[in-house]
Amino acid sequence: SFAYFTIKDRLPQILTRVIDTLHRHKNEFFEEHGEKGVEAEKRAISFLSKLRNELQTDKPVTPLEDELPDAALWNQYLDYQRNLPNGSGEPSWFQSPWLYVECYMYRRIHAALAQNPPIDNFDVFKEGKAQNFFESQEAVIALCTYFQELLKNIKDLDEKQLQEEFFKLLQVSLWGNKCDLSFSAGQDSSQKSSPLQSLENMVPYILVNDMEKVWSLLVNAKKNRTERSNVRVDIILDNAGFELVSDLVLADFLLSSKLADEVYFHGKSIPWYVSDTTKHDFNWTIKQLGSANHMWMSRCGINWEGNLKKGVWVFCDHMFWTLPHDFSSMSEVAPDLYAELQKSNLLLFKGDLNYRKLTGDRKWEYSVPFHQVLNKFHPAPLCSLRTLKSDTQVGLKPGQGEQVQASESEWMVSGKYGVVQFDAGL
């Protein structure tokens, strides 16, 4: 299965790159922290080498031994896996659900650093994320320029024209999800060309296209809002780099077109899946744009800094996004987060990992309804913007999946196809 290939080949590659990154920063650790920094680096590397060996030799998954706030939840989840009626008793790297062991690896990488001060705040994936951002400069410039030109006459657009622009930026945010470093095991995956030029040609690759439904939800929310009720959109982020910029542009469009009054961004509280957005990545990206020597890039960055100051944009992270649980258990495991999402008019879930957690990462029949597999996860109307990079997909028309399969055997994992998949909720 694709899961087997991921655990066998891709995850050890990622671990090797992490170890290599720590090696390369040895001098920097020494300059900053003296011998203590070098000692910490050695301990972290030995922890990670041990982890890589456990993975490659299919050892049992072991409980977490750190004191971090989520350790107890992880260990409870391991007990849950051990006691599954159809399980093999002791979960091991190759005899466990893919989603679980993949998340577990990233949590162990985090522990390797968190347990080794003074380098405990070092993000081993930061360089790759920054590189992706800089290598996508042309695409970022094209997008910021397009957007700033659009803002000049956004007040004069009628509803039909606004809808067209919304669909365009929604698609840019969808295809921005191709830039995923955990998928390429950290190899370059930047966006080189203008993201707007090829949209027309990409439409046939959107297997489920619910853009109309998302639009009418927002338009109705706008019409029904009162003095006291703001229209709120929440974006559950995926990758930093170009994808994040495309999400920020979409969020700015929602405010500028008065389709939303506030946007909440949900990122990861620890470095995750190589290129996922943390608070540091979020703030860093906006600062990079603001100080860019390109007029429209810096205009975007400065405006976005302003949105954060005014409180119409809010960044939040929650431990739940980096747990192994799928989202159907959120109301039980993280009732505070579930209650927060219930305040939203629309949840936009970015990317493949969020889709896997929405659908329980199972091998569903392609035509099973999206609403059904959400398994009672309905805090608010939600939409998944996702390019396919793992073999789970639902909500297709009868025969649609088989038809694509016949012409392209790798369609579910190539990142070439996407979905804009909506569920109205209750």
Side-chain angles (χ1 to χ4, degrees):
S1 68
F2 185 66
Y4 175 71
F5 152 75
T6 303
I7 306 287
K8 184 174 82 65
D9 297 341
R10 212 165 72 199
L11 297 193
Q13 278 173 358
I14 288 168
L15 279 170
T16 302
R17 289 180 94 95
V18 168
I19 291 168
D20 179 53
T21 300
L22 288 171
H23 270 305
R24 280 189 291 106
H25 284 267
K26 191 176 189 167
N27 293 344
E28 184 188 312
F29 296 144
F30 180 69
E31 280 160 25
E32 272 185 50
H33 311 290
E35 275 308 319
K36 278 188 177 153
V38 179
E39 286 306 313
E41 177 245 8
K42 281 184 190 154
R43 284 195 305 273
I45 286 177
S46 110
F47 188 101
L48 292 164
S49 304
K50 181 173 173 288
L51 174 64
R52 184 173 56 186
N53 180 263
E54 288 172 23
L55 191 167
Q56 290 178 307
T57 54
D58 192 25
K59 293 282 187 294
V61 174
T62 55
L64 295 177
E65 291 170 357
D66 55 61
E67 303 291 309
L68 300 173
D70 60 349
L73 283 168
W74 275 94
N75 291 340
Q76 282 164 19
Y77 196 84
L78 173 57
D79 285 337
Y80 159 74
Q81 288 291 336
R82 279 177 178 150
N83 297 318
L84 284 175
N86 54 354
S88 52
E90 199 60 38
S92 72
W93 284 90
F94 289 95
Q95 311 294 326
S96 297
W98 171 25
L99 183 66
Y100 169 48
V101 285
E102 194 171 16
C103 288
Y104 175 79
M105 179 190 83
Y106 286 103
R107 176 58 176 76
R108 288 275 303 270
I109 291 173
H110 176 61
L113 285 126
Q115 287 177 280
N116 283 307
I119 65 165
D120 43 338
N121 285 323
F122 183 74
D123 178 354
V124 289
F125 303 127
K126 191 171 79 175
E127 280 180 328
K129 290 183 274 198
Q131 192 182 349
N132 176 286
F133 175 81
F134 291 124
E135 287 176 353
S136 305
Q137 279 306 272
E138 285 169 50
V140 171
I141 287 173
L143 183 55
C144 291
T145 304
Y146 178 84
F147 182 60
Q148 289 300 329
E149 294 291 340
L150 169 64
L151 287 184
K152 286 178 188 170
N153 52 12
I154 195 162
K155 302 223 174 1
D156 310 326
L157 300 183
D158 62 28
E159 192 169 293
K160 187 84 195 103
Q161 290 167 313
L162 264 185
Q163 183 192 39
E164 269 172 37
E165 296 301 337
F166 173 65
F167 286 178
K168 256 187 216 170
L169 295 176
L170 204 59
Q171 287 173 76
V172 172
S173 175
L174 164 67
W175 296 120
N177 181 239
K178 283 176 182 256
C179 306
D180 182 336
L181 291 173
S182 75
F183 185 63
S184 61
Q187 305 287 346
D188 171 34
S189 64
S190 51
Q191 170 81 25
K192 297 282 195 278
S193 57
S194 164
L196 290 136
Q197 283 167 352
S198 46
L199 290 181
E200 283 294 305
N201 310 335
M202 309 282 269
V203 172
Y205 298 101
I206 304 177
L207 299 173
V208 178
N209 191 340
D210 289 337
M211 289 195 286
E212 297 272 354
K213 291 178 182 169
V214 179
W215 171 256
S216 56
L217 174 107
L218 288 169
V219 169
N220 289 332
K222 181 180 170 179
K223 283 176 184 157
N224 296 328
R225 64 190 279 260
T226 59
E227 287 297 304
R228 279 190 306 249
S229 73
N230 275 345
V231 175
R232 165 172 162 175
V233 174
D234 287 60
I235 303 178
I236 294 82
L237 298 168
D238 192 19
N239 301 298
F242 176 75
E243 180 174 2
L244 176 59
V245 177
S246 71
D247 299 337
L248 296 170
V249 167
L250 177 63
D252 194 351
F253 175 81
L254 291 171
L255 291 186
S256 307
S257 60
K258 309 265 194 295
L259 284 166
D261 304 299
E262 48 187 2
V263 179
Y264 281 68
F265 299 91
H266 299 267
K268 305 296 194 295
S269 51
I270 60 175
W272 197 247
Y273 273 68
V274 187
S275 48
D276 281 21
T277 304
T278 62
K279 184 174 193 166
H280 174 274
D281 302 324
F282 187 85
N283 293 332
W284 180 87
T285 302
I286 292 175
K287 281 211 164 37
Q288 286 297 325
L289 290 162
S291 60
N293 58 7
H294 184 280
M295 180 169 70
W296 297 133
M297 265 174 87
S298 67
R299 175 73 55 85
C300 282
I302 291 160
N303 290 349
W304 297 345
E305 195 88 53
N307 288 342
L308 288 166
K309 285 201 178 85
K310 284 186 290 218
V312 289
W313 277 12
V314 180
F315 180 90
C316 0
D317 47 24
H318 191 288
M319 183 168 81
F320 182 80
W321 303 119
T322 52
L323 288 175
H325 303 70
D326 53 58
F327 295 157
S328 64
S329 53
M330 185 191 291
S331 56
E332 199 182 317
V333 178
D336 57 329
L337 178 60
Y338 195 84
E340 187 57 38
L341 297 183
Q342 285 178 309
K343 299 174 188 168
S344 187
N345 295 78
L346 172 67
L347 308 172
L348 290 174
F349 283 90
K350 290 299 309 279
D352 199 71
L353 178 60
N354 279 325
Y355 192 83
R356 290 167 62 191
K357 288 188 167 192
L358 284 166
T359 60
D361 202 33
R362 291 172 171 77
K363 214 161 174 53
W364 298 103
E365 296 286 324
Y366 305 136
S367 57
V368 173
F370 187 41
H371 183 82
Q372 184 185 325
V373 306
L374 290 172
N375 193 12
K376 302 191 177 61
F377 176 70
H378 301 298
L382 63 88
C383 178
S384 168
L385 297 177
R386 171 238 186 177
T387 61
L388 280 66
K389 303 181 200 127
S390 62
D391 40 12
T392 185
Q393 179 58 51
V394 299
L396 300 184
K397 298 187 181 86
Q400 188 185 3
E402 291 75 7
Q403 199 180 346
V404 186
Q405 175 77 37
S407 62
E408 273 181 79
S409 59
E410 299 288 297
W411 67 285
M412 294 184 92
V413 297
S414 63
K416 180 176 169 182
Y417 289 88
V419 295
V420 180
Q421 199 159 18
F422 178 74
D423 179 70
L426 304 170

